[in-house]
Amino acid sequence: MPIIQRPYVPPEDQPPQEESYVNPGDTQVTEASGEPITFYCDSFHIYSSLYSAVLFFGEQMEEREPILRARIKVSPQMLKAFALLANKHVRDYEEAVGPITLPEQVYNAWDIEVEQK
């Protein structure tokens, strides 16, 4: 059975409204402890506009849509810095360990051309 990669996509791919930031995920502690929240992510989506971008981190669930674990709103400049740093880490990892391959359906889900190597 092939693995299907379904990226988290917000309903109708609309930017979240500010009032929707109240409940950031079911793994959150109700009391503010000051500790960072740690969760597993295997589903990801980005919504971007002229002045901001929202990164959605989710978790795949068997036989269900992915669960949204976190929403992070950033500037376009921070999004570019995130992309540059993520690319650097992937490049360093691949140089140390070997190439990372992704199933073609990941590229198809995000409408990205498969990298030619």
Side-chain angles (χ1 to χ4, degrees), residues 92-107:
D92 292 349
Y93 178 91
E94 289 182 323
E95 286 173 6
V97 177
I100 300 169
T101 57
L102 297 174
E104 191 173 324
Q105 58 259 52
V106 171
Y107 295 97

Side-chain angles (χ1 to χ4, degrees), residues 14-35:
Q14 296 297 314
Q17 302 302 313
E18 294 297 325
E19 63 270 7
S20 67
Y21 285 81
V22 176
N23 183 11
D26 62 353
T27 60
Q28 300 266 353
V29 179
T30 56
E31 299 174 24
S33 65
E35 293 295 316

Side-chain angles (χ1 to χ4, degrees), residues 60-76:
Q60 296 286 335
M61 305 303 287
E62 287 188 34
E63 307 296 324
R64 294 182 16 188
E65 290 298 310
I67 292 175
L68 177 61
R69 296 291 184 198
R71 253 180 250 146
I72 302 172
K73 190 173 183 180
V74 298
S75 68

Side-chain angles (χ1 to χ4, degrees), residues 44-100:
F44 181 68
H45 180 75
I46 299 174
Y47 172 85
S48 58
S49 66
L50 181 60
Y51 298 109
S52 67
V54 182
L55 290 73
F56 298 89
F57 296 90
E59 184 177 348
Q60 296 286 335
M61 305 303 287
E62 287 188 34
E63 307 296 324
R64 294 182 16 188
E65 290 298 310
I67 292 175
L68 177 61
R69 296 291 184 198
R71 253 180 250 146
I72 302 172
K73 190 173 183 180
V74 298
S75 68
Q77 294 82 1
M78 182 56 72
L79 181 62
K80 185 166 186 172
F82 177 83
L84 289 171
L85 187 59
N87 279 324
K88 177 194 179 306
H89 279 268
V90 169
R91 208 172 35 251
D92 292 349
Y93 178 91
E94 289 182 323
E95 286 173 6
V97 177
I100 300 169

